[in-house]
Amino acid sequence: MPFAQLVIGPPGSGKSTYCDGMQQFLSAIGRKCSVVNLDPANEHTSYPCALDIRSLVTLEEVMADEALGPNGGVLYALEELEHNVEWLQRGLDSLGEDYVLFDCPGQVELFTHHASLRNVFFRIQKMGYRLVALHLTDSYCLTLPSLYISTLLLSLRSMLQLDLPHLNVLTKIDKIASYGPLPFDLEFYTEAQDLSDITPHLLEENPVMRHPKFEGLNNAVIELVEDFGLVAFETLAVEDRKSMMTLLQAIDRAGGYAFGGAEGANDTVWQVAVRDGLRGMSVRDVQERWIDRKEEFDELERRQIEEELKARQESEVMDENGDDDDLEEIRGGVPDSGIKVVRSP
């Protein structure tokens, strides 16, 4: 039974960067992975693309032929994919049992109320895929109460629309300290409980919110999110291997991932950690690493990298000098996440 992640989220949330990093991380731990691009506007992918919607339909062609703008063109292209879903099925059949990452467009209409993307996902599910929807959001949304409330609504709506195992993820968490102090600890935002505590900060953000009609609306929105009790967030720093491992463990639990035999053939410390469910980063660990003691941890990490580099250089010199290979086996290699994210200028 093949497994897949459906990577959704608004523009700028880091979907393509995530797909690039996760594909490299999965390959590093021995899990064969392919990435499928479902964004007709994504002309230059940073990852090796196993299947690309642009070989079926491109945004430029749709805009020219149908006289549509960018947003309407993407919706039209996804409707075209829905009507030609057999093309996608044939492509997925050629991938065999590969673990698949679907890089989806950023138009929020597609995963909040437009039916085409959801129908495509259901067809993929009927092929036997175990799917997990991964809704990415830039952690900058935590800096403004109104933006955070909007993110809660968007996350809740997408969960109800897609009706699949679903994780909400705050990306770029390694940048959060640079945005200034937050009024609450990170756990408040990830758990999304006791949301009435944010109301005073919402009023401070914009005096207009003090009007009675807005106060009633804000309270109604907060009650709506709390009554459903569905929204919570994972965190991610895509270039941090422990953060990637922690998120992948959560995804595996949500999708019921069963580890294949190939993943025990050449174990590294990260393969063992992911497969055996070793403790990842709790939200308090994330708070300490990226907010409370970021500079201290950055310096420690810098020193570790220097030591690893020095050890590798010494190992290469010993190999060139023909020293006993047994020393290399005793010393062992330096674990590496395998993630090298390349961002477009």
Side-chain angles (χ1 to χ4, degrees):
M1 177 181 294
F3 293 78
Q5 298 177 28
L6 309 170
V7 185
I8 62 175
S13 58
K15 297 183 295 299
S16 293
T17 300
Y18 169 80
C19 289
D20 185 16
M22 182 56 76
Q23 193 270 341
Q24 294 180 54
F25 187 76
L26 290 172
S27 297
I29 65 170
R31 192 181 301 186
K32 192 176 180 184
C33 174
S34 295
V35 186
V36 175
N37 176 38
L38 292 184
D39 186 354
N42 192 356
E43 185 177 357
H44 303 290
T45 59
S46 56
Y47 47 78
C49 194
L51 195 60
D52 193 342
I53 189 177
R54 290 179 61 86
S55 63
L56 174 70
V57 59
T58 68
L59 178 60
E60 297 81 5
E61 292 174 349
V62 171
M63 292 175 62
D65 295 344
E66 305 297 331
L68 294 171
N71 287 340
V74 171
L75 297 180
Y76 186 97
L78 266 293
E79 292 173 357
E80 188 75 13
L81 175 63
E82 180 187 3
H83 294 313
N84 294 276
V85 72
E86 293 79 11
W87 168 86
L88 180 60
Q89 290 176 319
R90 290 193 299 269
L92 293 176
D93 286 340
S94 68
L95 301 180
E97 295 293 312
D98 283 12
Y99 191 103
V100 180
L101 306 174
F102 290 92
D103 187 5
C104 300
Q107 276 69 14
V108 296
E109 306 97 302
L110 290 169
F111 46 89
T112 58
H113 59 272
H114 194 271
S116 290
L117 193 60
R118 181 187 62 180
N119 292 340
V120 170
F121 290 164
F122 287 166
R123 289 293 294 270
I124 295 172
Q125 198 172 38
K126 288 182 179 180
M127 294 176 63
Y129 276 85
R130 296 286 294 273
L131 303 178
V132 176
L134 208 64
H135 186 183
L136 308 187
T137 304
D138 191 331
S139 59
Y140 181 79
C141 71
L142 306 186
T143 62
L144 293 173
S146 60
L147 193 54
Y148 176 64
I149 295 297
S150 299
T151 298
L152 291 174
L153 281 177
L154 179 61
S155 301
L156 177 60
R157 185 66 190 95
S158 64
M159 295 177 79
L160 298 176
Q161 168 77 0
L162 297 180
D163 195 23
L164 291 167
H166 192 113
L167 291 176
N168 301 300
V169 182
L170 295 171
T171 61
K172 309 176 188 178
I173 202 68
D174 49 328
K175 308 296 184 186
I176 191 69
S178 65
Y179 301 146
L182 299 174
F184 302 99
D185 285 344
L186 188 60
E187 189 172 10
F188 172 85
Y189 298 99
T190 58
E191 296 298 323
Q193 297 177 357
D194 300 321
L195 294 175
S196 58
D197 292 345
I198 206 172
T199 303
H201 300 277
L202 193 62
L203 300 179
E204 290 177 8
E205 178 190 337
N206 191 338
V208 174
M209 295 294 179
R210 299 181 185 275
H211 194 283
K213 66 178 181 181
F214 286 110
E215 183 179 358
L217 176 62
N218 294 334
N219 291 334
V221 170
I222 288 172
E223 290 176 7
L224 174 68
V225 175
E226 289 184 333
D227 287 347
F228 272 97
L230 294 176
V231 182
F233 295 94
E234 304 291 333
T235 62
L236 176 65
V238 74
E239 294 181 69
D240 182 77
R241 54 195 174 192
K242 194 168 185 179
S243 180
M244 290 287 278
M245 180 192 74
T246 303
L247 179 59
L248 183 58
Q249 288 175 337
I251 295 169
D252 287 345
R253 289 193 298 269
Y257 181 80
F259 290 87
E263 291 181 63
N266 186 28
D267 285 354
T268 67
V269 63
W270 298 106
Q271 286 173 294
V272 172
V274 174
R275 187 178 64 250
D276 294 348
L278 299 184
R279 181 179 178 274
M281 298 180 74
S282 69
V283 65
R284 293 182 180 179
D285 293 332
V286 176
Q287 170 87 30
E288 183 180 34
R289 169 62 184 90
W290 298 114
I291 300 177
D292 296 341
R293 300 170 59 194
K294 183 178 186 300
E295 292 183 0
E296 180 181 340
F297 275 95
D298 284 348
E299 176 62 21
L300 178 62
E301 204 168 82
R302 184 188 65 78
R303 292 178 182 177
Q304 289 176 339
I305 292 173
E306 290 178 351
E307 292 173 1
E308 291 174 0
L309 180 60
K310 183 178 179 181
R312 288 178 180 175
Q313 291 172 341
E314 291 176 354
S315 174
E316 291 173 358
V317 170
M318 293 179 68
D319 289 343
E320 291 174 359
N321 293 335
D323 287 343
D324 191 352
D325 291 339
D326 291 340
L327 293 177
E328 178 63 24
E329 295 178 5
I330 294 172
R331 182 168 52 251
V334 178
D336 185 4
S337 70
I339 303 173
K340 295 178 176 60
V341 175
V342 178
R343 292 186 173 87
S344 300

